[in-house]
Amino acid sequence: MRDLPLDGRRIVLGVSGSIAAYKAAEIVSRLVQGGAEVHVVLTSHAREFIGAATFRGLTGNPVLTDVFDEPYDGRMAHISLAQGADLFLVAPATANLLAKMANGIADDVLTTMLLATDAPVIAAPAMNTVMFDHPATVANLSTLRQRGVEIVEPAEGRLACGSDGKGRLADPDAIVAAVHARIRRSCDLTGLRFLISAGAGSEPIDPVRLITNRSSGRMGVALARAAARRGGAVVLVAGHRSVEPPPGVEVVRFDTTASYRAACLERFPACDVFIGAAAPADFTPVTVSQTKIRRDSSGADLMIPLRSNPDVIAELAAQKDSRLVVGFAAESEDLRTRALEKLRAKGLDLIVANDITAEDAGFDVPTNRVVLVWPDGRHEDLPLMTKDELAHQILDRILGMTGLASRTPSPA
Ligand code: CTP
């Protein structure tokens, strides 16, 4: 028997109360044909539109409708399924369900499971155009996207209420394709070892003062999370004030560029891909005062001589052999040209350049807008997206560069 692309994958499908609920049956059927083990969860309003028997028949599994349903594997069914899922799909997702998801409300079995899962979530909204355009829905979708929920955009067309506009549930083909793409991503980095850096460096001036920068570590942490989710083995070298590292990743902390360099050099031989998203300090005080530097009573300026720190990524790239070395470039002008110069000067395989003067990109914001630049001068402008999504896009390009991209089966 030939391998199916969703073989061995457990997908939970949540159906909420929209007239489009009947289309969930087509989606389930396609997922089951693709080899997936599908478990359906219905809200009470969904059951007004379609019965549990349809889904039980299509999946061969019991359908969850209540938190007090019979246990699975000796555990509460909803918790057991939420935690064992490879992917959580919500289709159709009503405005009300999206609002509950965005606010962490868990007042029925579906919303409780959505809070209890750490599987990737895809939601396919369906509603009337006015509801879709309502500022509350727009804000809820934006919150969910920022949290990494993938939204399959609704289509334009004739709506159940008789009007025309955007809000129809996306075509089942598009929803099933999004599931395949996400599942492919869930294991396509298996066997690759990543060394990823994140966050700001800091250099002490005296026992209380530091030289540091505004990097929050979000981009590097997003890369580490995404690489681990996709099956990669990840070591994260993280600045002390970086955002929380993701689970399933080995963390090594750094502060000074000297400690960053030591951690990277030690781990580099055992990696296949190095991604330098950290912002180690470029300069360090020539001497560190052992006592707190006192303010001069005359109000005279304080001069602190700074010495240049080594360029760690350039040093790693010089000994890379078959490893890939990917860097970041924070620029405030001539983005593409400067990035290409930086990439060539440091001997990198790819550079991710962002304009740090843009409000929605760069330091300490959840979104980024970057240009990817390769050594031959080829470049790709990516649109504004969350750092989580950008992490996946960067990993997709890296995977293509390793020549391992064709290892996993495509959808039938
Ligand atoms: N980098 C590094 N070691 C340093 C400084 C930077 O490894 N001492 C790495 C960063 O992790 C990033 C890349 O170099 O991947 C570019 O960082 P950036 O701050 O944009 O460039 P710099 O080389 O510091 O140049 P400049 O600040 O002059 O733009």
Side-chain angles (χ1 to χ4, degrees):
M1 212 179 86
R2 94 190 174 85
D3 283 349
L4 292 168
L6 302 178
D7 262 349
R9 298 313 181 123
R10 181 184 267 192
I11 297 173
V12 176
L13 170 64
V15 182
S16 58
S18 150
I19 185 90
Y22 74 94
K23 294 187 185 166
E26 166 72 14
I27 295 168
V28 167
S29 156
R30 302 268 300 277
L31 296 177
V32 170
Q33 285 170 38
E37 173 193 326
V38 183
H39 296 266
V40 175
V41 189
L42 298 178
T43 65
S44 60
H45 284 170
R47 279 186 289 150
E48 300 286 329
F49 291 98
I50 187 161
T54 303
F55 294 111
R56 200 161 43 240
L58 286 168
T59 63
N61 289 319
V63 171
L64 260 81
T65 55
D66 197 286
V67 269
F68 300 108
D69 282 351
E70 285 300 301
Y72 272 41
D73 321 328
R75 299 168 71 204
M76 281 177 291
H78 62 287
I79 298 294
S80 166
L81 277 178
Q83 294 181 349
D86 292 301
L87 186 131
F88 210 122
L89 171 66
V90 190
T94 59
N96 182 48
L97 189 83
L98 294 168
K100 288 191 200 174
M101 284 169 75
N103 289 287
I105 293 170
D107 63 352
D108 66 2
V109 65
L110 177 55
T111 48
T112 304
M113 287 174 75
L114 282 161
L115 263 195
T117 192
D118 60 3
V121 179
I122 300 180
M127 67 198 73
N128 152 290
T129 308
V130 180
M131 292 168 85
F132 186 69
D133 289 338
H134 193 285
T137 307
V138 171
N140 290 332
L141 284 170
S142 160
T143 303
L144 292 171
R145 278 198 185 91
Q146 280 172 28
R147 265 185 224 147
V149 173
E150 180 177 338
I151 306 294
V152 184
E153 286 289 317
E156 305 233 355
R158 189 83 176 156
L159 300 171
C161 56
S163 62
D164 283 291
K166 190 165 178 177
R168 278 167 66 102
L169 181 71
D171 194 80
D173 279 343
I175 297 171
V176 171
V179 170
H180 278 273
R182 201 57 186 246
I183 289 286
R184 250 197 329 275
R185 270 182 174 180
S186 68
C187 59
D188 57 357
L189 302 180
T190 305
L192 279 181
R193 297 161 304 167
F194 288 84
L195 181 60
I196 299 176
S197 71
S202 59
E203 304 285 337
I205 296 172
D206 69 12
V208 288
R209 300 184 183 90
L210 300 169
I211 298 177
T212 186
N213 60 63
R214 293 179 55 209
S215 172
S216 63
R218 282 173 192 257
M219 190 64 242
V221 166
L223 279 159
R225 184 187 303 115
R229 278 235 158 124
R230 293 168 67 164
V234 182
V235 177
L236 178 71
V237 183
H240 277 284
R241 284 163 301 105
S242 297
V243 295
E244 191 62 26
V249 159
E250 185 189 339
V251 182
V252 182
R253 292 287 182 183
F254 79 94
D255 42 31
T256 61
T257 299
S259 67
Y260 177 65
R261 179 173 173 273
C264 291
L265 283 174
E266 187 192 332
R267 301 301 184 123
F268 190 66
C271 84
D272 302 301
V273 180
F274 175 82
I275 311 178
D282 282 326
F283 305 98
T284 188
V286 173
T287 52
V288 178
S289 170
Q290 297 307 309
T291 52
K292 187 180 170 202
I293 301 173
R294 300 269 155 213
R295 192 207 280 268
D296 192 311
S297 54
S298 70
D301 292 343
L302 173 67
M303 306 302 252
I304 303 173
L306 300 177
R307 172 171 8 99
S308 230
N309 272 329
D311 186 333
V312 177
I313 204 166
E315 196 174 340
L316 297 174
Q319 49 183 280
K320 71 188 171 75
D321 295 328
S322 60
R323 295 176 194 86
L324 288 178
V325 177
V326 178
F328 276 72
E331 302 296 341
S332 50
E333 56 198 335
D334 293 338
L335 191 55
R336 213 174 288 152
T337 321
R338 297 251 165 137
L340 184 58
E341 281 166 14
K342 212 170 255 185
L343 168 142
R344 287 186 175 154
K346 293 175 190 261
L348 310 180
D349 297 294
L350 169 66
I351 198 156
V352 182
N354 62 308
D355 178 355
I356 49 171
T357 60
E359 253 177 43
D360 48 13
F363 294 122
D364 214 9
V365 288
T367 51
N368 212 346
R369 187 199 315 270
V370 305
V371 187
L372 306 179
V373 184
W374 282 268
D376 58 4
R378 206 160 35 95
H379 62 85
E380 185 180 351
D381 289 88
L382 294 181
L384 183 72
M385 61 182 80
T386 63
K387 287 183 175 170
D388 283 319
E389 180 51 27
L390 176 60
H392 282 293
Q393 297 281 342
I394 294 169
L395 292 170
D396 287 347
R397 305 304 181 283
I398 291 174
L399 184 60
M401 292 160 69
T402 63
L404 298 174
S406 53
R407 291 181 309 174
T408 45
S410 324

